[in-house]
Amino acid sequence: MAGVSLKCGDCGALLKSVEEAQEHAELTSHSNFSESTEPVLNLVCTACSKPCRSKTESDLHTKRTGHTEFVDKTSEATKPISLEAPKVGATAEDSVTATTNQDEEMVVPEVDKKILEELESMGFSAARATRALHYSGNAGLEAAVTWIVEHENDPDIDQMPLVPANTKVEAPKPSLTPEELKAKQQELRERARKKKEEEEKRTEREKEKERIRIGKELLEAKRIEEDNERKRILALRKAEKEEERRAREKIKQKLEEDKAERRRRLGLPPEEPSVSKPSPVVEEKKSFLPVRPATKAEQMRECLRSLKQNHKEDDARVKKAFQTLLTYVGNVARNPDEEKFRKIRLTNQSFQERVGALKGGIEFLEICGFEKIDGGEFLFLPRDKVDMAVLNSAGSELDSAIKNPFFGVL
């Protein structure tokens, strides 16, 4: 009788083809095979059409699914064994398809859609989940995961199953103990969890890169804005200096015109540009004339001009100092009998910020009659030294310094 199977001399397993024998050898490292006249069983479950190739495999299927009815189709599938080497790229599904009727329509089997969605959410492909549900008889999520564990190394595990009207043959896989099955299930869950964590980490890295990019763009925009602000300030200062230069030129021209007008009124000829200054002899003669001492008003004007020159880079602060001095002088002039207006604490923070910190501020008050007392802690104007004329002159000079835009320019 011709041989219908290959028998493993190491474990006694029956195999349908040379290809199955090669797969068995790769899985078990067995190498002792011989041709046998004993056929491989083909027990087909009547409930789900799952083929079982041994009594042990049918018992395991019954334990998992509860299906007990099987049809023995061994005689229909048995054929002489071919000892030729399998073609490259051939699969178990190809050999099964070759035995089926070529005119028979192949369709995707119907499976439980809800369980299919749960399997896909665990990270399994639609083809693998569909195949697992079909061959586990749609018995539930746990049965499908168990089937995936047992057939994880199948070459066609991720191919969508196509079944004919009657049956679909699957290559058997070695059964697993309950402990091994539980370990495999845990491994699959752990793999799905790690895959999800890796995806979350990748998404977080992308978000971090985007945050860094946006931060760099904001810093660059801020730097450009600061550069533009510096350029604007430099242009403003340049314009102010140019305006100051024009003001000086205008004042100088006005002085020249006034000088020419005085010479014209005195009947003197116009001054030639090449005329030199008076000789030292003339100046020596003038030195014998009595020199008129500077008045209080002139001293005040010179003090204010010096104050503005010393702090010309901060015009707003100078103007505030002039207004503060005008307030002090005005309070004394309106209320000369009130001591609180005639006494100023030099350590007062407001006074220091407005007047004391500016060179010339305290000197102006001393010209008005204020004196330092108590070791220099206070400025005090005694009642008997209040001179209304001096205070009025001080007010006039301060008012002129505040309103005249060219005050202190020259």
Side-chain angles (χ1 to χ4, degrees):
M1 182 177 177
V4 293
S5 65
L6 290 174
K7 185 174 183 179
C8 178
D10 296 324
C11 64
L14 295 177
L15 306 165
K16 287 184 177 182
S17 64
V18 174
E19 182 183 9
E20 287 187 3
Q22 291 176 346
E23 292 180 358
H24 182 76
E26 292 175 357
L27 292 172
T28 63
S29 299
H30 298 166
S31 59
N32 184 16
F33 297 91
S34 62
E35 194 173 359
S36 174
T37 58
E38 182 180 356
V40 178
L41 297 180
N42 185 16
L43 304 176
V44 181
C45 178
T46 58
C48 64
S49 301
K50 172 71 169 70
C52 299
R53 62 194 304 160
S54 66
K55 188 66 171 64
T56 302
E57 190 173 346
S58 64
D59 292 341
L60 181 62
H61 180 72
T62 301
K63 184 178 179 180
R64 289 200 307 262
T65 64
H67 303 164
T68 58
E69 296 294 326
F70 294 86
V71 178
D72 190 353
K73 294 185 178 183
T74 304
S75 59
E76 298 177 7
T78 301
K79 63 178 182 177
I81 188 72
S82 175
L83 299 179
E84 294 181 0
K87 296 181 180 180
V88 178
T91 63
E93 189 167 340
D94 294 334
S95 62
V96 174
T97 305
T99 62
T100 60
N101 192 333
Q102 298 297 325
D103 296 331
E104 190 173 7
E105 183 182 2
M106 305 297 289
V107 296
V108 177
E110 293 290 335
V111 296
D112 191 312
K113 301 298 182 183
K114 185 175 181 181
I115 302 178
L116 178 64
E117 292 177 357
E118 292 182 8
L119 288 171
E120 289 178 346
S121 67
M122 292 173 65
F124 301 116
S125 64
R128 181 176 295 203
T130 302
R131 183 177 288 272
L133 285 172
H134 170 62
Y135 289 119
S136 65
N138 291 295
L141 180 63
E142 184 176 355
V145 173
T146 302
W147 189 93
I148 291 175
V149 171
E150 292 179 351
H151 297 78
E152 184 178 10
N153 296 320
D154 287 4
D156 56 352
I157 187 66
D158 287 315
Q159 295 180 8
M160 184 64 73
L162 297 174
V163 297
N166 48 11
T167 186
K168 175 85 167 107
V169 179
E170 277 293 318
K173 295 295 174 182
S175 300
L176 299 176
T177 64
E179 292 77 11
E180 293 174 337
L181 180 60
K182 185 176 181 180
K184 275 288 185 181
Q185 291 175 345
Q186 182 63 28
E187 180 184 352
L188 286 174
R189 294 190 185 96
E190 186 68 17
R191 192 181 303 172
R193 182 186 65 79
K194 289 182 178 179
K195 183 177 180 181
K196 185 176 180 181
E197 289 180 353
E198 290 176 358
E199 183 66 21
E200 291 176 351
K201 289 180 180 179
R202 186 188 65 79
T203 304
E204 185 62 29
R205 285 195 298 269
E206 293 296 330
K207 291 181 179 179
E208 183 64 22
K209 289 180 180 178
E210 183 66 15
R211 285 194 292 268
I212 293 174
R213 184 187 66 80
I214 294 175
K216 289 182 178 179
E217 290 181 355
L218 290 176
L219 289 176
E220 181 64 17
K222 185 177 180 181
R223 185 189 64 79
I224 293 175
E225 183 180 356
E226 290 176 350
D227 289 344
N228 292 336
E229 181 66 16
R230 281 194 295 269
K231 291 178 181 178
R232 188 188 68 81
I233 292 175
L234 289 175
L236 181 61
R237 289 180 179 175
K238 184 177 180 181
E240 289 176 350
K241 289 182 178 179
E242 181 64 21
E243 184 178 359
E244 181 179 350
R245 185 190 63 79
R246 289 197 299 267
R248 292 190 180 196
E249 291 292 337
K250 188 174 181 181
I251 293 174
K252 185 176 180 180
Q253 182 181 359
K254 180 65 175 176
L255 292 175
E256 292 293 337
E257 291 176 356
D258 291 346
K259 185 177 180 180
E261 180 64 20
R262 287 195 300 271
R263 292 180 65 86
R264 186 184 63 78
R265 291 180 180 178
L266 294 174
L268 298 175
E271 184 179 11
E272 295 295 334
S274 59
V275 175
S276 61
K277 294 183 179 179
S279 62
V281 177
V282 176
E283 290 180 357
E284 186 178 354
K285 289 181 179 179
K286 289 185 177 179
S287 65
F288 290 101
L289 296 176
V291 179
R292 178 179 62 84
T295 62
K296 286 279 188 179
E298 291 173 341
Q299 293 178 10
M300 294 176 185
R301 189 181 307 114
E302 184 59 28
C303 183
L304 295 177
R305 184 181 295 108
S306 175
L307 189 151
K308 185 168 184 179
Q309 286 292 329
N310 291 331
H311 306 280
K312 59 183 179 180
E313 73 283 353
D314 197 346
D315 188 67
R317 190 178 182 187
V318 171
K319 189 173 181 180
K320 183 181 289 186
F322 289 170
Q323 292 172 343
T324 304
L325 290 172
L326 183 60
T327 301
Y328 286 138
V329 172
N331 287 338
V332 176
R334 287 188 294 271
N335 305 280
D337 296 325
E338 290 287 340
E339 184 178 339
K340 65 179 180 180
F341 294 126
R342 293 184 283 107
K343 191 173 184 180
I344 303 172
R345 182 186 294 273
L346 293 177
T347 57
N348 181 273
Q349 184 178 357
S350 177
F351 173 81
Q352 282 295 324
E353 291 177 354
R354 293 170 176 264
V355 176
L358 278 70
K359 184 178 179 181
I362 296 177
E363 289 80 355
F364 183 86
L365 292 173
E366 289 177 339
I367 295 173
C368 294
F370 283 82
E371 302 172 353
K372 290 182 179 180
I373 62 172
D374 296 340
E377 185 178 358
F378 292 92
L379 275 178
F380 181 70
L381 178 59
R383 178 64 184 89
D384 57 344
K385 292 186 178 181
V386 174
D387 190 340
M388 298 304 296
V390 173
L391 295 178
N392 289 333
S393 297
S396 299
E397 294 299 329
L398 287 168
D399 185 70
S400 175
I402 293 171
K403 294 181 179 179
N404 184 3
F406 303 109
F407 179 82
V409 172
L410 294 176

